[in-house]
Amino acid sequence: MGPLVSGHVIRVGDMNRQQEFVLRTVEEHDIRFIRLWFTDILGYLKSVMMSPSELESAFEEGVGFDGSSIEGFSRISESDTIALPDPSTFRVLPFDAGSPEIQAAQMFCDITTPDGQPSWSDPRQILRRQVELAADEGFTCMISPEIEFYLVTNTDDLSALMPTDNGGYFDQATSNMAPKFRREAMVALESMGIATEFSHHETAPGQQEIDLRHADALTMADNIMTFRYLIKQVAISSGVRATFMPKPFTEHAGSAMHSHISLFEGDSNAFHDPDDEISLSKTGKHFIAGVLKHSPEISAVTNQWPNSYKRIVFGNEAPTAATWGVSNRSALVRVPTYRLAKADSRRVEVRSLDSACNPYLAYSLVLAAGLKGIREQYPLDDPAEDDISQLSRRERRAMGYEDLPASLDQALRLLEKSEFAADVMGEHVYEYFLRSKWKEWHNYQEQITPWELRNTLDY
């Protein structure tokens, strides 16, 4: 057996063929630069630029860099780190086609130690480990996210920040600073091999949604990182700015990344049962129960910013409690009822994630929670039929619903107690993430806001 690439185990010969394909394509397309991509622990995209002449040796030996300079990667005493390009992720970037002298391509990298061992500081390796554990139990995890984001005016004066259009849900905006944006974005995504399903205007002015076609978990996390990069580039070329901030405007809805998840055993959807009322198998129900049980303690990762909780507490259709429902968009996990008889379509929709999470870490924890539910056969309570967001805290508690954290502070307190999250993330990433996020929370608390000045200054 060879290494696991893009969610699939491949043999060394296959890897060599992929490397040969990359080398041949680089020559045929006269690629001048290769961008090697990876992410830090918080999900920021990092890039190393290299010449094609160095590509062959990079496949063999990787590219060395100072890991201590990357958020959470390694200590000064262990700073030598290797970025190993994954040839299965090679894509030609679309933006330099008109300037062949700077034509570039990109590949995602696996981060290793100098002796070739996987670096468990690398979020991609953490997700790969969960994918391998799922495979050991006979499952392949497929994910299809609905990614929401805002287009806003390109201004340095953040107090003057405004949406770029006046549209609403599914609207064709009548006032629009970037009228061709979604079309150009989808063309750019398709050119990179990222298949899209739908694109439409969301509920708020300036808010957009693009849905990606399902792919295995590791490939999808890569695709999301590429998606963010491309969306921002298309926005810049349109003279506007794209933001994945969970809730940039007080008066408008937040941006989620609702993720449709299913497990396959070979070609069979493990979540489908034609004899069940909603065509959901026991495996699917145990998976939901696992996600619900562990969601509060992993909230600091699925919703990692202080601003994330403005969406959860004050947003439309954002989950406030660990509940599930059939077609209930206020629940944390929704079971869609489209095409109940179609086996391949049976899936669960996890609605807690926002668009600013690190997809590698967030999907690692959600997948691990679902698998634990299956492994230990967690029971699933009856589905919620109420609009949970309209219930008071007392009402939710009386109905047996466990509240999700209402602030990053609360979420970090739960994460600190979570042996489950520590095991999935690994000790290094777990400890670093907590330290980094506590520091961020304390910095946030220190701020004196305009609201405080307006309401307290004259006291």
Side-chain angles (χ1 to χ4, degrees):
M1 282 292 192
L4 204 159
V5 173
S6 288
H8 304 286
V9 175
I10 65 171
R11 300 185 183 278
V12 173
D14 295 329
M15 176 67 85
N16 290 339
R17 281 193 291 273
Q18 288 179 335
Q19 292 175 1
E20 290 167 5
F21 168 78
V22 171
L23 292 167
R24 187 170 63 250
T25 304
V26 165
E27 185 175 354
E28 290 173 354
H29 288 257
D30 195 22
I31 303 297
R32 299 299 178 90
F33 300 104
I34 311 291
R35 299 179 193 267
L36 303 183
W37 284 356
F38 58 95
T39 66
D40 67 13
I41 287 175
L42 301 184
Y44 286 105
L45 187 64
K46 302 295 179 179
S47 179
V48 177
M49 186 90 79
M50 67 178 293
S51 164
S53 62
E54 301 298 317
L55 193 51
E56 205 160 348
S57 66
F59 283 138
E60 295 296 323
E61 303 169 4
V63 175
F65 67 97
D66 178 6
S68 66
S69 298
I70 304 297
E71 284 284 340
F73 262 39
S74 55
R75 295 170 294 192
I76 289 289
S77 59
E78 305 165 337
S79 60
D80 288 347
T81 310
I82 305 296
L84 195 64
D86 178 347
S88 73
T89 66
F90 175 83
R91 299 288 186 272
V92 177
L93 289 165
F95 298 109
D96 303 323
S99 305
E101 71 278 5
I102 56 169
Q103 182 67 65
Q106 61 82 214
M107 277 183 288
F108 282 95
C109 293
D110 291 312
I111 306 303
T112 70
T113 58
D115 62 359
Q117 295 301 307
S119 167
W120 298 120
S121 299
D122 176 15
R124 196 169 189 261
Q125 298 278 26
I126 291 171
L127 179 53
R128 171 168 282 149
R129 180 169 55 179
Q130 288 306 314
V131 167
E132 289 176 328
L133 290 172
D136 290 344
E137 297 181 27
F139 296 120
T140 300
C141 178
M142 305 297 288
I143 302 179
S144 171
E146 303 171 355
I147 309 176
E148 296 173 348
F149 56 95
Y150 273 89
L151 292 180
V152 298
T153 51
N154 197 1
T155 175
D156 292 331
D157 180 5
L158 297 183
S159 65
L161 201 67
M162 293 176 57
T164 57
D165 64 58
N166 64 348
Y169 193 62
F170 270 43
D171 275 357
Q172 181 66 49
T174 55
S175 172
N176 193 347
M177 293 175 66
K180 300 177 183 176
F181 171 83
R182 286 202 305 274
R183 186 178 68 195
E184 291 173 354
M186 292 180 78
V187 168
L189 290 164
E190 295 282 352
S191 77
M192 293 279 286
I194 298 176
T196 59
E197 289 192 330
F198 304 106
S199 163
H200 62 83
H201 201 288
E202 254 300 330
T203 56
Q207 191 180 35
Q208 319 293 324
E209 177 180 307
I210 297 179
D211 303 347
L212 304 187
R213 190 171 301 157
H214 64 269
D216 66 87
L218 188 59
T219 299
M220 184 51 71
D222 289 342
N223 286 350
I224 290 167
M225 295 306 301
T226 304
F227 178 96
R228 289 178 183 165
Y229 171 81
L230 290 176
I231 291 299
K232 287 177 178 291
Q233 294 300 312
V234 174
I236 289 170
S237 70
S238 301
V240 297
R241 182 177 186 175
T243 177
F244 295 92
M245 182 178 178
K247 200 170 191 302
F249 298 106
T250 302
E251 66 274 25
H252 299 313
S255 292
M257 190 170 76
H258 303 149
S259 296
H260 296 255
I261 302 175
S262 54
L263 296 182
F264 278 76
E265 295 174 295
D267 294 329
S268 300
N269 188 341
F271 284 0
H272 184 256
D273 179 359
D275 298 324
D276 183 74
E277 184 181 358
I278 56 172
S279 300
L280 185 66
S281 69
K282 289 182 179 178
T283 298
K285 291 174 182 176
H286 291 318
F287 185 93
I288 292 173
V291 172
L292 296 183
K293 180 175 177 60
H294 296 289
S295 281
E297 67 195 284
I298 67 174
S299 183
V301 179
T302 57
N303 308 89
Q304 67 166 331
W305 307 101
N307 180 258
S308 297
Y309 297 86
K310 304 289 177 72
R311 166 189 163 252
I312 288 174
V313 176
F314 302 107
N316 291 336
E317 298 183 350
T320 53
T323 58
W324 78 285
V326 181
S327 297
N328 187 342
R329 283 181 163 80
S330 69
L332 189 151
V333 177
R334 182 178 82 97
V335 178
T337 52
Y338 310 121
R339 301 183 292 277
L340 286 179
K342 187 176 180 182
D344 286 355
S345 294
R346 184 46 45 228
R347 62 195 187 275
V348 301
E349 179 188 0
V350 180
R351 297 175 62 83
S352 51
L353 286 74
D354 62 41
S355 296
C357 68
N358 179 335
Y360 299 103
L361 293 184
Y363 284 153
S364 294
L365 286 160
V366 171
L367 175 57
L371 289 173
K372 190 170 185 184
I374 295 169
R375 198 179 305 118
E376 300 183 15
Q377 298 195 338
Y378 287 180
L380 184 64
D381 292 334
D382 292 336
E385 297 179 354
D386 305 279
D387 182 348
I388 293 106
S389 62
Q390 297 300 312
L391 298 176
S392 70
R393 192 174 177 184
R394 234 175 91 233
E395 288 171 325
R396 291 198 297 270
R397 192 175 299 162
M399 299 175 87
Y401 301 152
E402 183 178 359
D403 275 347
L404 294 174
S407 68
L408 184 59
D409 176 26
Q410 293 179 13
L412 290 171
R413 292 175 192 273
L414 293 178
L415 184 64
E416 278 186 328
K417 300 174 185 176
S418 176
E419 293 181 9
F420 164 76
D423 181 61
V424 174
M425 297 169 75
E427 182 181 356
H428 177 87
V429 169
Y430 175 74
E431 293 293 343
Y432 177 83
F433 188 89
L434 280 168
R435 284 198 308 273
S436 174
K437 288 298 172 179
W438 272 126
K439 182 179 179 181
E440 183 181 318
W441 175 253
H442 292 147
N443 289 341
Y444 175 74
Q445 282 186 303
E446 285 177 357
Q447 305 304 308
I448 307 302
T449 66
W451 186 93
E452 292 169 283
L453 293 173
R454 283 196 306 271
N455 287 275
T456 321
L457 187 64
D458 291 332
Y459 181 74

